[in-house]
Amino acid sequence: MTCSEEDLRKAKRDLIRRLQHAGDQRLDVAANWQKKWSKILPECVDSLFLIEEIARISFLTIEERPPATAPKPAWHNAVFGVGIFGLFIVGSHMIRLHQIFLVVALAAVLVANYLDFWRDAWPRLVVFSLSTSIAVSGLSPWTVQLQGHLGEWGSHTLSFFINPDQSEPFSAFLIVTGLVGAWCSHKFMR
Amino acid sequence: MSLVSLQPIRDHRPDLRDAANRFDDWLDLHAQSGFIDTRKVVRDLSGDLTSSEIIETLNAIRNLEIAKVGYRIVDNSGTFVSPIFPSVDDVPPVAFDAYGDEFSVERKHIVQIYELCK
């Protein structure tokens, strides 16, 4: 069995994460990492040893180019993008939260764009934005209570972003769903 | 001029063309040893290539059978004191340094090398 580049990337990301907190235990952390992953990926022992060697001597960089042998087809991105956009539109109309969806999505896109654009991770960006929007829109019932403490202008502005008819159980569902989605995008869509 | 050609890498992995050129320059200076010492290559090329490029190029060198992976033992002074072992599991737990004194082989004494195919 040959060692796949995707498996190696996964292992390397794990090592980079461990080294961030290793301090002066760097060599031990790298050695333990190599032992652990050699058991998981026995076909990659030589490559794992090499990565450990680099970690001992130099710095591992996080940049990773997509494998040249299997470029992601453009239609894949297009279909994915249209699908997410459709979901976004349908979802926002179903729960009548299109205003806050749009505003929060814009803010999330700006933040995520800053973090991910140069790593070509826009699908993660979209999912992260959508999830953040869902989570924040779940705050509506509690945000309504803030209106009383704001001035006329603040109250008016806030009313544009919230849905006063949203029930608390449904809001809790939105918050949990949004947070889980954001976490998943962070964890699995690198 | 190196005795080993990395042309197959340029042919099969055009994305590694620049890295292969850099490795070629390095091999011109170090090919007389008959193997690539990963410690040296990492120290010498880390400034020019990313870790991913070094890893992928060495993997390509192995996969295209330009060289085969082996392991050697170095003593505390960094001198090679063993023959080439085909896998890290074959490395013995003890070895003798350049002065004939026995020492326990730890991780820091094991060096991965790429033995150039003739």
Side-chain angles (χ1 to χ4, degrees):
Chain A
M1 185 190 288
T2 55
C3 178
S4 87
E5 289 192 8
E6 183 52 39
D7 286 338
L8 270 187
R9 266 194 289 274
K10 196 187 297 178
K12 187 178 161 192
R13 276 196 295 266
D14 179 49
L15 177 57
I16 290 170
R17 209 162 24 232
R18 288 166 183 240
L19 290 176
Q20 285 171 345
H21 310 289
D24 56 1
Q25 302 296 309
R26 186 178 179 86
L27 298 186
D28 290 337
V29 167
N32 290 335
W33 167 88
Q34 197 258 117
K35 282 179 193 161
K36 176 196 160 189
W37 279 92
S38 292
K39 287 177 187 162
I40 299 171
L41 305 171
E43 70 277 15
C44 297
V45 167
D46 293 331
S47 299
L48 294 168
F49 199 95
L50 172 62
I51 293 174
E52 186 206 344
E53 192 82 337
I54 293 177
R56 294 168 68 90
I57 296 171
S58 179
F59 294 100
L60 285 169
T61 44
I62 209 157
E63 99 300 326
E64 285 159 353
R65 291 165 299 161
T69 48
K72 193 186 286 184
W75 64 265
H76 180 276
N77 279 346
V79 169
F80 187 85
V82 170
I84 288 292
F85 185 71
L87 190 66
F88 181 91
I89 296 298
V90 171
S92 63
H93 277 83
M94 279 176 66
I95 56 177
R96 298 180 182 178
L97 285 172
H98 51 283
Q99 293 151 325
I100 194 165
F101 254 86
L102 290 173
V103 173
V104 177
L106 179 62
V109 162
L110 289 174
V111 174
N113 192 44
Y114 173 76
L115 295 174
D116 281 339
F117 180 77
W118 297 111
R119 282 193 279 153
D120 191 23
W122 74 266
R124 176 185 168 196
L125 181 154
V126 173
V127 175
F128 178 77
S129 307
L130 190 63
S131 302
T132 312
S133 306
I134 291 171
V136 175
S137 64
L139 297 173
S140 263
W142 297 279
T143 316
V144 168
Q145 297 168 11
L146 279 178
Q147 279 186 299
H149 303 287
L150 301 173
E152 187 182 348
W153 183 85
S155 179
H156 175 71
T157 306
L158 201 57
S159 67
F160 181 74
F161 297 111
I162 59 177
N163 178 6
D165 302 326
Q166 191 169 290
S167 70
E168 289 190 5
F170 183 65
S171 298
F173 168 75
L174 288 179
I175 291 172
V176 172
T177 304
L179 290 178
V180 169
W183 182 80
C184 286
S185 71
H186 175 71
K187 185 77 178 174
F188 302 116
M189 297 187 69
R190 295 189 174 215
Chain B
M1 186 71 185
S2 164
L3 294 174
V4 178
S5 169
L6 298 185
Q7 189 58 39
I9 295 181
R10 298 187 190 89
D11 295 339
H12 289 84
R13 293 289 304 269
D15 56 314
L16 292 176
R17 184 180 296 270
D18 292 340
N21 290 340
R22 198 64 196 85
F23 264 77
D24 249 348
D25 295 340
W26 188 90
L27 279 171
D28 282 345
L29 300 172
H30 298 89
Q32 71 277 6
S33 63
F35 61 85
I36 298 171
D37 179 343
T38 54
R39 293 173 307 168
K40 276 187 185 172
V41 93
V42 170
R43 284 196 192 102
D44 293 349
L45 299 185
S46 286
D48 300 327
L49 301 176
T50 66
S51 59
S52 295
E53 286 172 325
I54 293 174
I55 292 166
E56 287 179 30
T57 307
L58 285 173
N59 282 341
I61 285 174
R62 183 188 58 195
N63 294 337
L64 295 169
E65 298 181 347
I66 297 167
K68 57 184 178 184
V69 179
Y71 295 86
R72 293 188 74 179
I73 300 172
V74 293
D75 63 15
N76 287 323
S77 66
T79 307
F80 286 109
V81 292
S82 79
I84 299 173
F85 301 101
S87 91
V88 72
D89 294 332
D90 296 322
V91 174
V94 292
F96 295 92
D97 66 16
Y99 301 101
D101 296 326
E102 191 177 89
F103 65 96
S104 295
V105 177
E106 300 169 13
R107 169 62 185 87
K108 66 180 179 182
H109 298 120
I110 303 172
V111 176
Q112 188 181 55
I113 58 114
Y114 285 69
E115 189 180 9
L116 300 171
C117 298
K118 304 295 181 195

